[in-house]
Amino acid sequence: ACALLLALAIAPASQAQNQSQNQDANAPILVEADRLDLDDRAGTAVYTGNVDIRQGSMRLTGNRVEIRRNAAGELSLATATGERAYLEQQPDPAEPVVKGWGRTVIYHVAERRVELIDRAELHQGGDTFEGGYLEYFLDRRVVQARADAEGVEGSQRIRMTLQPEQQ
């Protein structure tokens, strides 16, 4: 099962990010859940019941978390669901921790892209984003937001708070 949770920090964009990601990749994986259903042939592991997965600076929580591997055995996708599924990671040691919530949180490992779906919320430092659907690219620090999208209940307007840069 631990092989399914290979480093959630892949494809570095800078040396500092590479160092942070390597620290995450080399950190032990801690998983707590009420149940595990592992299908090694299909490359999936499904954890249910108050799931809490941690590795280095990364944390993923939800009522249910599904981990998928690609044909090479590398982690490709992590999907957490629940009333307030949660992902946090510090992509760079010099930057604040990125925290994201949604009824569904999908982490695309190779792209280092996070989708927050339905009652989505993203915090980085003092900056906050809320809406029906938020997409965040960890390395590029790009946010795309939508009031409605597939999987979003109703229309949830985008709200954003940006803090002034410190000089």
Side-chain angles (χ1 to χ4, degrees):
C2 285
L4 291 174
L5 294 172
L6 297 173
L8 291 179
I10 296 176
S14 72
Q15 187 172 4
Q17 286 174 330
N18 189 23
Q19 181 181 10
S20 176
Q21 292 162 0
N22 283 339
Q23 287 173 349
D24 280 357
N26 294 325
I29 299 165
L30 307 171
V31 181
E32 291 183 16
D34 294 335
R35 179 178 173 155
L36 164 64
D37 292 309
L38 175 67
D39 185 339
D40 210 29
R41 286 190 181 178
T44 62
V46 178
Y47 300 91
T48 54
N50 197 23
V51 183
D52 191 344
I53 301 173
R54 298 172 189 243
Q55 183 180 27
S57 73
M58 189 280 305
R59 181 177 184 196
L60 182 64
T61 68
N63 293 340
R64 179 182 188 275
V65 177
E66 180 175 342
I67 305 293
R68 292 189 186 175
R69 291 184 298 172
N70 62 21
E74 301 164 329
L75 180 72
S76 60
L77 190 71
T79 304
T81 56
E83 189 58 31
R84 291 298 276 166
Y86 175 72
L87 173 82
E88 79 175 39
Q89 186 170 34
Q90 187 167 16
D92 183 320
E95 296 291 325
V97 173
V98 174
K99 298 178 180 183
W101 296 264
R103 286 193 170 145
T104 301
V105 175
I106 304 172
Y107 182 42
H108 302 266
V109 177
E111 302 166 49
R112 291 187 39 81
R113 176 173 63 96
V114 178
E115 291 180 89
L116 306 167
I117 303 167
D118 202 9
R119 292 181 38 214
E121 190 174 339
L122 178 72
H123 295 203
Q124 184 173 25
D127 298 341
T128 64
F129 304 85
E130 296 178 31
Y133 175 88
L134 299 173
E135 185 174 33
Y136 184 68
F137 295 83
L138 288 163
D139 294 334
R140 297 185 328 203
R141 294 180 180 84
V142 170
V143 175
Q144 296 179 344
R146 308 284 181 270
D148 49 11
E150 186 176 332
V152 174
E153 198 174 292
S155 181
Q156 302 168 25
R157 293 190 45 88
I158 305 305
R159 290 184 177 86
M160 176 177 69
T161 303
L162 298 175
Q163 299 299 319
E165 289 202 27
Q166 302 297 319
Q167 302 210 355

